[in-house]
Structure formats: structure tokens, C-alpha cells
């Protein structure tokens, strides 16, 4: 199937690597004009070139999701460059060090919460202001994690941030999705082969013990998550609102 997102304009954060890159490339292949937002300028430039070589449309905008001016900047950039904003994928994120709260430093807590939660809050706020004014509304997809549904797939900070992102998704769905024009869902991936391991710098032994007790982690590919994001972003999912869809190869079934 092609053109499942024909005519749509999407912002994807964390588009320079991993799942964000795969989501951006698939969205463009399906007809969306994609704004690639990431702190990694080289990464998003390479993704832009790959999309254009494949015949798609994309624009790169260096964005730190933590900074309000960058958030406002990327929303303005999307509407000025492509005329509207239909889809926001809050995908940018980092791991913590699997640190339980007893060992959690303020610095690790604040960094993880800022990127994984405050950034998406700012982006949802700004995007909704645009989407609610459009006749056709919009769609938000938050890339959470099974760490947003279970206790030991990350440290305390990651687990809290992702649980809160799930709560944000449900609140948007219950308000704008039901009584406004913006549908929202979250994805909860399990283990996926990306560059996120590089953000684990000093794994905490107790946190790792708790992780290992969850059993062997099946490892998926970014494209498998992109397929889910595409479905949720498309009109095929028009009645799906406020769901948190796991894609973890069965890691959490027992
Ligand atoms: N890989 C996994 O196993 C896994 C599992 C569950 C959930 N997730 C979530 O998936 C999302 C994508 O992660 P990934 O695995 O593709 O990782 P990745 O490291 O390959 O990509 C993340 C991207 O986010 C960008 N980024 C980091 N901080 C940013 C900031 N402040 N502003 C803008 N961009 C920023 C990075 O530059 C990078 O390009 C994250 O939210 C992560 O928590 C990952």
C-alpha cells in the first residue's frame, strides 16, 4: 500500500536515528511531508537526503525538545514550510542508567524528565494549538516504552517519565480526542536495535539485576515500530484514541 499519509504534514522528533529515522522514512514513503527534528544536525540531514533520494519530501530542523524556543520554532517551521501540521510524533528520548531512586542523582532525574517528559509536554501543547484550529484536526503519537507500563524496564527516572507520558497521552485522548479534534495514542516498544544504548553510561547494578529478572529481551527492528506508528497516524486508525500499544515481541506477556 502507498500514500496512506498523502497530503499530511508530520513532525517527528528524534528523527536522526533509530525509530525516529525509520518512522520519518516510512511516513515520507507513504506521502507525508516530514519535518525532521533532532539535536543531531548531521543525522537529520542524512535522513532528509535519503528521503529525497527515494522521491519523498522532508525538511530538517535542528531542535532541542527541552527548549521552549526550539519547540515553538519547529512548529512554526512546519506550518511555514508545508502549510499545516497534521501529525506529531514525540519520539526523541534517552535511557537512564537503570538507577533505582535510592541512587538517583538530581542531575540524572532532571535530564531524563526534561527530555522524555517535559519536551513532549511542550510539543503537545504547541501542536494542539495549531491542530485544534485546523478543520481536519490532528494526530499525536507518543513513543513511550514498556517502561511506561511496567516497573523495571528502566530506572526510576525513565520509568516515571514514560508512565507520565502514558498519562499525558490518555488525558489528550480524553479531552481533545473526544471533545476536540486531536486524537492521541502511545506506542510502548520493548527492546529495539537503535543507538539508545549509547545513553546508558554507567548501569546501576541493582537496576540491572531487576531488569535481568524480567527475562531475555526479544529485540525488534526500528521498522517494526514504524509500521505501528504509520497505522496509528493514518486515517485507518480513526477510531483508536487513548490506546497504549505495546510492540515488544512478547517480552511482557509473562
Ligand atoms: N530502543 C529501545 O529499546 C526503546 C524501547 C522502548 C522505548 N524507546 C523509546 O524510543 C524513542 C526513540 O529512541 P531510539 O531507541 O530510536 O533511540 P536513538 O538514540 O537511536 O534515537 C533517539 C534520537 O533522539 C534524539 N534526541 C535526544 N535528545 C534529544 C533532545 N533533547 N531533543 C531532540 N532530539 C533528541 C537523539 O539525538 C537521537 O537521534 C525514545 O523515546 C525511547 O525512550 C526505545
Amino acid at each position: 500500500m502507498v500514500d496512506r499519509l498523502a497530503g499530511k504534514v508530520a513532525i517527528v522528533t528524534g528523527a536522526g536515528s533509530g525509530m525516529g529515522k525509520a518512522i520519518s522514512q516510512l511516513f515520507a514513503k507513504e506521502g507525508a511531508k516530514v519535518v525532521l527534528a533532532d539535536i543531531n544536525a548531521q543525522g537529520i540531514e542524512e535522513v532528509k537526503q535519503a528521503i529525497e533520494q527515494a522521491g519523498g519530501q522532508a525538511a530538517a530542523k535542528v531542535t532541542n525538545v527541552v527548549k521552549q524556543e526550539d519547540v515553538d520554532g519547529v512548529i512554526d517551521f512546519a506550518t511555514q514550510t508545508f502549510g499545516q501540521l497534521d501529525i506529531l510524533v514525540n519520539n526523541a528520548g534517552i535511557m537512564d542508567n537503570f538507577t533505582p531512586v535510592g541512587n538517583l542523582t538530581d542531575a540524572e532525574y532532571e535530564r531524563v524528565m526534561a527530555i522524555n517528559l517535559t519536551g513532549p509536554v511542550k510539543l503537545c501543547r504547541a501542536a494542539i494549538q495549531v491542530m485544534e484550529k485546523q478543520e481536519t484536526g490532528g494526530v499525536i503519537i507518543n513513543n513511550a516504552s514498556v517502561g511506561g507500563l511496567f516497573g523495571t524496564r528502566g530506572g526510576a527516572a525513565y520509568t516515571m517519565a514514560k508512565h507520565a507520558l502514558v498519562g499525558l497521552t490518555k488525558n489528550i485522548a480524553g479531552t481533545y480526542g473526544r471533545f476536540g479534534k486531536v486524537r492521541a495514542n502511545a506506542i510502548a516498544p520493548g527492546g529495539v536495535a537503535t543507538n539508545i544504548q549509547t545513553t546508558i553510561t554507567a548501569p546501576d547494578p541493582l537496576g540491572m539485576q531487576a531488569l535481568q529478572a524480567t527475562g531475555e529481551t526479544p529485540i525488534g527492528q526500528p521498522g517494526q515500530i514504524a509500521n505501528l506508528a504509520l497505522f496509528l497516524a493514518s486515517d485507518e486508525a480513526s477510531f483508536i484514541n487513548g490506546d497504549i500499544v505495546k510492540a515488544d515481541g512478547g517480552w511482557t506477556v509473562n
Side-chain angles (χ1 to χ4, degrees):
M1 194 186 282
V2 290
D3 290 345
R4 289 161 74 185
L5 299 180
K8 309 270 190 195
V9 176
I11 293 176
V12 180
T13 70
S17 173
M19 287 180 242
K21 176 179 176 179
I23 290 167
S24 299
Q25 289 182 311
L26 185 58
F27 279 21
K29 190 177 163 199
E30 292 291 341
K33 297 165 193 159
V34 185
V35 174
L36 311 163
D38 201 303
I39 45 172
N40 178 355
Q42 190 187 333
I44 50 178
E45 194 50 44
E46 286 170 9
V47 175
K48 177 179 182 286
Q49 283 171 19
I51 286 174
E52 287 175 351
Q53 276 162 19
Q57 267 184 280
K61 176 75 173 161
V62 175
T63 306
N64 184 344
V65 298
V66 171
K67 293 188 179 166
Q68 186 63 55
E69 63 267 32
D70 284 18
V71 169
D72 293 338
V74 74
I75 300 281
D76 288 348
F77 178 80
T79 54
Q80 282 164 18
T81 308
F82 294 130
Q84 63 204 56
L85 176 59
D86 305 293
I87 301 161
L88 167 66
V89 184
N90 275 312
N91 165 79
I94 56 168
M95 281 301 298
D96 61 9
N97 279 317
F98 291 88
T99 315
V101 69
N103 293 338
L104 182 61
T105 62
D106 284 351
E108 184 176 12
Y109 174 73
E110 283 160 17
R111 182 169 151 71
V112 172
M113 294 303 274
I115 297 172
N116 290 6
L117 179 62
T118 311
V121 171
K122 289 179 186 296
L123 275 145
C124 286
R125 178 172 60 196
I128 281 170
Q129 286 168 9
V130 173
M131 290 171 173
E132 279 285 298
K133 290 193 190 100
Q134 298 176 157
E135 199 176 324
T136 48
V139 179
I140 291 175
I141 297 167
N142 290 324
N143 197 353
S145 167
V146 290
L149 299 170
F150 299 92
T152 56
R153 267 72 180 186
Y158 189 84
T159 303
M160 286 188 283
K162 294 297 189 179
H163 272 71
L165 187 58
V166 164
L168 172 65
T169 307
K170 290 179 182 175
N171 186 263
I172 293 168
T175 51
Y176 299 100
R178 287 205 64 195
F179 306 107
K181 297 178 183 168
V182 181
R183 196 163 60 76
N185 293 288
I187 294 172
V192 183
T194 69
N195 293 316
I196 204 163
Q197 301 299 330
T198 61
T199 65
I200 306 171
T201 51
D204 182 281
L206 177 57
M208 293 310 289
Q209 186 181 2
L211 172 70
Q212 277 151 17
T214 66
E216 191 185 334
T217 313
I219 300 296
Q221 296 302 315
Q224 294 177 291
I225 306 301
N227 286 331
L228 175 56
L230 170 62
F231 170 65
L232 291 174
S234 76
D235 292 339
E236 295 158 35
S238 57
F239 200 50
I240 301 178
N241 178 44
D243 206 359
I244 316 301
V245 187
K246 284 191 299 169
D248 70 355
W251 187 20
T252 57
V253 290
N254 50 21

